[in-house]
Amino acid sequence: SIASSSAVVVLPQEVPGPQLKVACFTGRAGSTVRNCDVYTDGEKLIYETTGPTLESGEGFTIVAGFPKGMVAVLEPKPVFEDTLLGKLLTGLLVIVLLIIGLFWYVFYPIRIIYKWYKYGRDPHILTGAVRSWFDAPKTKAGRPFTPAECGALLDEVVDERDISATLIDLAVRGFVKIEERKKKDFYIVKKKDFAKNNLEEHESSLLTALFSKGDEIRIKDAKLYDEIAKIKDVLYERMVTNGLFPKNPNKIRIFYIVIGMLALMSANLFLFVISLIFGRNMPRKTQAGAEAAQVIKGVKNFLTTQERQLQFQAKEKPKESQR
């Protein structure tokens, strides 16, 4: 609230009464209420409120009219004057905007398709398809690929299945025990110290996150979103370090997702569709990565056939026992 308000306008010189126009208003926007007075003192115009308090949203408006020429008149000037230089600058600006528009709406979508065709496809494998393979491929240092690395290399994405495969592999190797204490209520129990063991970075990071508050954790209570995200980043970078990808595949996909969002914001539907389709498939393996992926496919084929064989044996067991 404003109890009272006043304003003073000082003109360059005193203005005769007939040539001076003054007024004031109070209240909300558009109000014609005049709870105010105006009086002159030489070249000064003094405005004061006289009515009740001005409440929230109410204001005090003053009007002063005097002959033109008493104060400086500033005429607006064009940004570019109508000269040869101004016309050249305007034409240059139009050309630049046209070039940017052609690149963004026409050439860039085509460039993405060309880039995928030229650089986004996996290299050709000379050995052809492998129907079965019995061991996971190995890195240059002779270390077998972990389950998470195998899964990520196949579909070029580190997802929750790869993290789950890592946990199951650690249980097989005796680092943890997975217990179902109630139906679909699983606990992960620490079995041996992993700090002194030669684990891969993503494996030790997962175990550290699981057992940061004790030697067991209930899966339903685990909130490891940030830790899982970091483990995924570690796996992506390790695959680059091991020579399986020339660049981080996840960063490449994120880049084209951003391009797709910018295209959608600029109404470039062609670029939006192209960036989502070809950008998703832009990550490529190296020659070593493609060969390792071929071996992993063979291992997967072998495991799939063994699963069918085990199911067949389970069905035949009752018949054999009856005999």
Side-chain angles (χ1 to χ4, degrees):
S1 300
I2 301 175
S4 63
S5 180
S6 63
V8 177
V9 177
V10 182
L11 299 174
Q13 64 188 48
E14 186 175 353
V15 180
Q19 297 180 351
L20 188 63
K21 296 180 180 180
V22 294
C24 61
F25 305 93
T26 57
R28 294 184 176 274
S31 171
T32 58
V33 177
R34 300 190 179 190
N35 292 323
C36 56
D37 283 335
V38 185
Y39 57 91
T40 61
D41 183 8
E43 69 276 8
K44 294 182 180 180
L45 308 178
I46 302 171
Y47 303 79
E48 293 180 348
T49 58
T50 59
T53 299
L54 297 175
E55 300 296 338
S56 176
E58 296 181 337
F60 179 32
T61 303
I62 65 171
V63 180
F66 44 83
K68 185 176 180 180
M70 287 191 62
V71 296
V73 178
L74 298 179
E75 297 292 343
K77 292 183 179 181
V79 177
F80 295 120
E81 294 186 6
D82 192 16
T83 61
L84 179 60
L85 178 60
K87 293 178 179 180
L88 288 175
L89 291 175
T90 303
L92 182 61
L93 179 61
V94 171
I95 291 173
V96 170
L97 291 176
L98 284 175
I99 292 174
I100 293 174
L102 282 173
F103 174 78
W104 181 249
Y105 288 92
V106 179
F107 295 114
Y108 193 52
I110 297 174
R111 183 178 181 276
I112 291 177
I113 299 174
Y114 172 78
K115 187 176 181 180
W116 168 82
Y117 181 81
K118 191 75 174 177
Y119 307 106
R121 299 183 297 170
D122 290 342
H124 180 66
I125 303 300
L126 298 177
T127 55
V130 179
R131 293 192 59 82
S132 63
W133 204 277
F134 309 108
D135 296 307
K138 296 182 179 181
T139 63
K140 294 180 181 179
R143 172 185 65 81
F145 283 20
T146 64
E149 291 171 324
C150 291
L153 189 59
L154 272 182
D155 58 11
E156 301 177 347
V157 177
V158 180
D159 51 28
E160 280 68 24
R161 291 181 62 187
D162 301 323
I163 305 300
S164 300
T166 300
L167 184 60
I168 294 172
D169 183 55
L170 290 169
V172 171
R173 290 153 60 187
F175 287 96
V176 300
K177 183 179 180 181
I178 304 174
E179 297 180 356
E180 187 179 11
R181 297 180 182 177
K182 293 181 181 179
K183 188 174 182 180
K184 295 184 180 181
D185 190 6
F186 293 92
Y187 285 75
I188 310 299
V189 182
K190 181 179 177 181
K191 296 298 292 181
K192 62 181 179 180
D193 186 16
F194 54 85
K196 299 179 181 178
N197 286 276
N198 189 22
L199 294 173
E200 295 304 309
E201 186 177 356
H202 66 279
E203 295 173 331
S204 60
S205 297
L206 179 59
L207 291 174
T208 301
L210 287 171
F211 304 119
S212 60
K213 297 181 180 179
D215 290 343
E216 71 174 33
I217 185 173
R218 186 186 183 197
I219 291 295
K220 291 183 178 180
D221 298 334
K223 301 189 186 312
L224 307 173
Y225 310 113
D226 294 337
E227 290 80 359
I228 296 298
K230 292 177 183 177
I231 292 170
K232 290 181 179 182
D233 291 338
V234 168
L235 277 167
Y236 281 122
E237 293 299 333
R238 286 301 299 272
M239 289 192 292
V240 175
T241 303
N242 290 330
L244 305 177
F245 290 93
K247 295 181 180 179
N248 187 320
N250 193 47
K251 291 183 179 179
I252 294 175
R253 281 190 294 269
I254 291 175
F255 172 79
Y256 284 101
I257 289 174
V258 173
I259 292 295
M261 295 301 101
L262 292 175
L264 192 61
M265 292 168 61
S266 59
N268 190 350
L269 297 180
F270 181 41
L271 177 58
F272 173 73
V273 173
I274 293 298
S275 60
L276 291 187
I277 294 176
F278 290 90
R280 184 180 182 278
N281 296 285
M282 192 65 73
R284 64 178 294 272
K285 304 177 186 70
T286 61
Q287 187 71 34
E291 292 173 356
Q294 194 77 348
V295 173
I296 294 170
K297 291 177 184 177
V299 175
K300 184 178 180 180
N301 289 338
F302 169 71
L303 294 175
T304 303
T305 58
Q306 292 302 301
E307 184 177 352
R308 290 199 297 265
Q309 181 64 23
L310 291 173
Q311 291 174 352
F312 173 76
Q313 291 176 357
K315 292 179 181 178
E316 291 295 319
K317 270 188 177 182
K319 297 179 181 180
E320 293 179 358
S321 61
Q322 289 175 4
R323 293 175 186 173

